Amino acid sequence: MIIQAFAFYLFALTAIAAGVMVISARNPVHSVLFLILAFFNAAGLFILLGAEFIAMILVIVYVGAVAVLFLFVVMMLDINFAELREGFLQYLPIGALVGIILVAELMLIFGSWVINPEAAQIIAAPSAAPAEITNTHALGRLIYTEYIYLFQAAGLVLLVAMIGAIVLTLRKRPNVRRQRISEQISRPVEDVIEIKDVPTGSGI
Amino acid sequence: MNLTADLMIASPELFVAIAAMFLLIFGVFQGNQSTRLVSWLGVGVMFIAAILVLAGPVGRVVAFNDLFVVDGFANFAKILLLLGAALTLILAVPFNAREGIPQFEYPVLILFAVLGMMMMVSANDLISLYLGIELQSLSLYVLAAIRRDAVRSTEAGLKYFVLGALSSGILLYGMTLVYGFAGSTGFDDLAAVFAESAGDGAPIGVIVGLVFIIAGLAFKVSAVPFHMWTPDVYEGAPTPITAFFAVAPKIAAMALFVRVMLEPFGDLFDQWQQVIWFISLASMILGSFAAINQTNIKRLMAYSSISNMGFVLVGLAAGNETGVQGVLLYLTIYLFMNVGTFACILAMRRQGRMVEDIDQLAGLSRTNPKMALALAIFMFSMAGIPPLAGFFGKLYVFLAAIEAELYTLAVIGLLTSVVGAFYYLRIVKLMYFDDPLDAFDQPVGREISTIVFGTSVVTALFAIIILVFPLLDSAANAAATLFAV
């Protein structure tokens, strides 16, 4: 128990600290690196909750793809972040006020939150009890059996998105010289090299 | 239920999906010179899919753990949308070759859009409904922007994309509310839950969710007040795409709308009827009045489709079997009138350039009497003059409205159709009584002239067609399957 509590506070505090650093770091590249740190700690929190699938997805998708993409964008675009951050203190009171209002509203919602007692009877309970099976396994069982239709349909949606991106952006530029390996190696020697017999002591 | 049986039930969708992927690979290897072949193969795919739909099960069957349903209503809608998509794809073949849209992805994307629509009309769960809509919409966004070097086409694509994403968000929000308060996303479960609680009224969250779902779906059928994107997208997109937009997605979205309202939410009729009533009324009024000022024929058709959707929604507002029969009949007629009109618009070319101004039709009866006659038939039909097809569509939805005692809606609908008659007949007047301008390019091409001929014959002789073919009965049977549950 103590180890669990210790791990929770470690992950949680690091995540919060990393989150603060994301918005306060001067260098935008550092901000993105702190964001990645925050994602890793959030993944640790998910593992503590027993949701190892979400933890894996968080690391693979957010760290592996999204954050790295951010990093590329930040490094490639020449944005003056110092200029963007001007007036940060000036807007701080308003921002803080909005934040406090949102927190108060969330607390009100959670204070009066009741789950519809009838919903529990209607809801389908398709997955096995979490003690018997890992949640990756449980998800896989559902996706590939009961929801195979939706899984395949989602795949088709992604395929169409890919086709669309290619149709709308791929341009054939005629004056770009590409390497054509088959042409290169099938050229006869005579067309390419000319062997000259150069007499010693004179030029060509 | 084993997987093989499920796959057999969904065989038309499976066939379209596999054929689309096959055509995609074929196109990738053959390059853009295969566009024509891929297009015709796409038409063939839709033809075979229609046969598979007809050969499919009779009566209501569900598959894939109740996510997917096939019934008479779904089959009727699928045949309609396959027909609409195939005809507009045929229209696109000469246009694309001429106007520089060489991409072989064009027919492939149309096939994926059609697949999405078939999934929409067969949806039996909120999630499969949403995935069908997204598959359809994503293909349509790309198709609207397919002429990526033309500013107006890309603008149309972007506008459609942004507003479409917004409407999907609204739709999803409504679905989460319904799921949260009812505890299920399946249509059958939802219907059971609402039937139980019908006496003491549905929880307020379900009502709010239902309104959001209606708003999202109204966007997809471009009903007022969610119609703003329609004129711009119709004007900006390449004309065969506009023809496609005006026909197939509208049929699919309307069929989906009817199913969602009547199957899962059928017991909440009192709650949604007033919303549909208002949307229908507003669409008819705005569609008729806003079209009067238009000079571009594609924008005119956009407003015409808005008012037509208003008329279709009258059938849904009635909420009875006659109403659904009227919806299906109206959509059938709408399909033929629209495909025919857009085929005529595609023939409006002068010196190899498309013209889209309504004034350019002046004196068409002298320069091209056949096309003028066909266009006049379509215009009279849309205005609802008997004995042309459009009259019967309006007749059946208004009969349903009278049966459901929606007298205000019926009377205002009739009045707006008189307003609509003004701008439809203005085109007829331009063609027959104004001084002729230069003739349009001749010949218009075999594809266009065949389709104009076919659709105008159907539109003109519709009174005979419903006597000879059991169209009324099959629409009635299809409508009955929704109420049999």
Side-chain angles (χ1 to χ4, degrees), chain A:
Chain A
M1 263 343 264
I2 290 179
I3 295 177
Q4 266 199 3
F6 176 73
F8 170 76
Y9 284 112
L10 178 73
F11 286 134
L13 288 176
T14 325
I16 293 172
V20 171
M21 288 307 287
V22 170
I23 54 169
S24 61
R26 288 215 165 272
N27 186 335
V29 176
H30 292 174
S31 288
V32 179
L33 291 175
F34 276 115
L35 190 65
I36 292 175
L37 182 62
F39 281 145
F40 267 112
N41 284 288
L45 288 174
F46 275 121
I47 287 183
L48 286 182
L49 282 174
E52 83 281 350
F53 185 74
I54 302 183
M56 287 193 290
I57 290 295
L58 198 70
V59 172
I60 295 170
V61 176
Y62 278 85
V63 178
V66 177
V68 172
L69 195 72
F70 274 7
L71 207 56
F72 272 118
V73 171
V74 166
M75 291 201 286
M76 286 201 190
L77 294 183
D78 186 22
I79 302 172
N80 190 346
F81 282 89
E83 218 170 76
L84 283 180
R85 211 171 282 138
E86 264 175 29
F88 177 68
L89 280 179
Q90 198 183 334
Y91 293 119
L92 192 62
I94 300 173
L97 187 68
V98 172
I100 289 168
I101 292 173
L102 282 179
V103 168
E105 284 176 345
L106 278 176
M107 283 166 77
L108 283 177
I109 289 175
F110 280 105
S112 59
W113 178 276
V114 190
I115 290 178
N116 184 1
E118 287 165 27
Q121 297 151 20
I122 316 156
I123 206 160
S127 58
E132 298 162 12
I133 194 169
T134 67
N135 54 48
T136 315
H137 198 147
L139 272 173
R141 269 194 190 172
L142 280 181
I143 288 176
Y144 292 104
T145 55
E146 294 192 18
Y147 295 110
I148 183 74
Y149 174 68
L150 302 178
F151 186 61
Q152 295 293 329
L156 281 174
V157 172
L158 291 178
L159 174 67
V160 168
M162 196 179 81
I163 299 172
I166 294 173
V167 170
L168 295 180
T169 53
L170 181 71
R171 281 167 201 280
K172 290 226 167 59
R173 280 171 295 181
N175 41 12
V176 173
R177 297 169 70 98
R178 291 172 194 281
Q179 184 180 24
R180 295 201 185 83
I181 295 172
S182 61
E183 240 171 66
Q184 281 178 346
I185 54 182
S186 61
R187 279 200 299 189
V189 181
E190 303 85 64
D191 293 359
V192 191
I193 329 174
E194 195 180 343
I195 298 173
K196 290 233 170 164
D197 197 5
V198 185
T200 318
S202 64
I204 298 172

Side-chain angles (χ1 to χ4, degrees), chain A residues 116 119 122-124 146-150 153-154 156-157 159-161 163-172, chain B residues 21 24 64-65 67-68 103 105 109 112 115 119 127-128 131 135 138-139 142 145-146 148-149 179 181-183 193:
Chain A
N116 184 1
I122 316 156
I123 206 160
E146 294 192 18
Y147 295 110
I148 183 74
Y149 174 68
L150 302 178
L156 281 174
V157 172
L159 174 67
V160 168
I163 299 172
I166 294 173
V167 170
L168 295 180
T169 53
L170 181 71
R171 281 167 201 280
K172 290 226 167 59
Chain B
M21 287 187 262
L24 178 69
F64 301 113
N65 197 27
L67 294 167
F68 184 88
Q103 290 99 329
E105 286 95 344
L109 284 170
F112 277 118
L115 175 62
M119 288 165 59
I127 308 175
S128 40
L131 282 171
L135 183 58
L138 256 158
S139 318
V142 180
I146 198 153
R148 58 189 185 186
D149 296 318
Y179 175 61
F181 279 86
V193 170

Side-chain angles (χ1 to χ4, degrees), chain B residues 54-287:
Chain B
L54 287 176
V58 188
R60 189 175 191 276
V61 279
V62 290
F64 301 113
N65 197 27
D66 290 0
L67 294 167
F68 184 88
V69 63
V70 175
D71 54 10
F73 180 77
N75 285 348
F76 195 98
K78 278 182 201 171
I79 297 285
L80 280 190
L81 66 92
L82 281 167
L83 184 64
L87 288 178
T88 47
L89 184 55
I90 294 174
L91 285 180
V93 175
F95 180 89
N96 288 358
R98 206 174 54 220
E99 302 281 323
I101 303 179
Q103 290 99 329
F104 68 87
E105 286 95 344
Y106 182 104
V108 174
L109 284 170
I110 295 240
L111 279 181
F112 277 118
V114 165
L115 175 62
M117 291 170 209
M118 293 167 77
M119 288 165 59
M120 279 160 71
V121 296
S122 272
N124 198 34
D125 189 288
L126 291 176
I127 308 175
S128 40
L129 175 162
Y130 178 71
L131 282 171
I133 287 188
E134 280 311 295
L135 183 58
Q136 177 226 216
S137 309
L138 256 158
S139 318
L140 297 187
Y141 305 146
V142 180
L143 284 171
I146 198 153
R147 202 186 239 171
R148 58 189 185 186
D149 296 318
V151 178
R152 285 204 309 177
S153 173
T154 45
E155 183 195 324
L158 192 64
K159 259 185 195 158
Y160 197 14
F161 175 69
V162 172
L163 290 173
L166 178 75
S167 82
S168 291
I170 292 173
L171 190 67
L172 274 180
Y173 186 57
M175 287 179 190
T176 53
L177 279 175
V178 168
Y179 175 61
F181 279 86
S184 173
T185 55
F187 286 180
D188 302 340
D189 296 341
L190 287 175
V193 170
F194 297 140
E196 240 171 62
S197 66
D200 44 293
I204 188 75
V206 170
I207 309 282
V208 175
L210 177 60
V211 172
F212 274 103
I213 290 179
I214 292 177
L217 292 177
F219 182 93
K220 302 293 177 196
V221 295
S222 75
V224 177
F226 307 100
H227 64 285
M228 280 80 88
W229 57 277
T230 322
D232 290 344
V233 172
Y234 275 38
E235 190 190 0
T239 312
I241 290 293
T242 314
F244 179 64
F245 280 4
V247 178
K250 288 283 168 68
I251 293 172
M254 192 51 85
L256 175 77
F257 209 155
V258 171
R259 184 191 290 282
V260 172
M261 289 301 112
L262 292 174
E263 274 195 345
F265 298 108
D267 285 302
L268 303 181
F269 178 66
D270 295 338
Q271 272 84 13
W272 57 256
Q273 191 195 19
Q274 45 195 328
V275 184
I276 301 290
W277 185 90
F278 170 76
I279 293 178
S280 160
L281 192 72
S283 307
M284 290 190 292
I285 294 176
L286 187 128

